[in-house]
Amino acid sequence: MNKKLAAAIERDNQREDAGMHADDRQTCYQHQTWASDCEGTHRTPTAGQLLAEHNELQRRRT
C-alpha cells in the first residue's frame, strides 16, 4: 500500500465517521484498496440467494 492510498483510506474513514454514506467512498474499507479496483466484488445478496444457500446447508446436514 502506498502513502497516497493510505491517506485516502484514512480520509474516507474520517468522512464516513462524520456521516458520509459508505457508497461515496473512494477507497474500499474491506479490501484496503481503491474502490475502482474491487468494483464488482461486493454483491448484495438477494432473498433467493440466501434461501438457496440455506437450503444447501440444510441438505448437507441431513
Side-chain angles (χ1 to χ4, degrees), residues 18-35:
M20 177 183 79
H21 193 276
D23 289 344
D24 295 332
R25 291 182 67 99
Q26 294 178 353
T27 60
C28 176
Y29 178 80
Q30 182 177 2
H31 297 115
Q32 299 292 294
T33 187
W34 297 104

Side-chain angles (χ1 to χ4, degrees), residues 2-37:
N2 62 37
K3 290 181 181 182
K4 185 176 179 180
L5 175 58
I9 290 171
E10 182 60 30
R11 186 174 51 249
D12 277 354
N13 290 344
Q14 291 172 355
R15 288 178 178 170
E16 195 171 358
D17 289 344
M20 177 183 79
H21 193 276
D23 289 344
D24 295 332
R25 291 182 67 99
Q26 294 178 353
T27 60
C28 176
Y29 178 80
Q30 182 177 2
H31 297 115
Q32 299 292 294
T33 187
W34 297 104
S36 59
D37 291 346

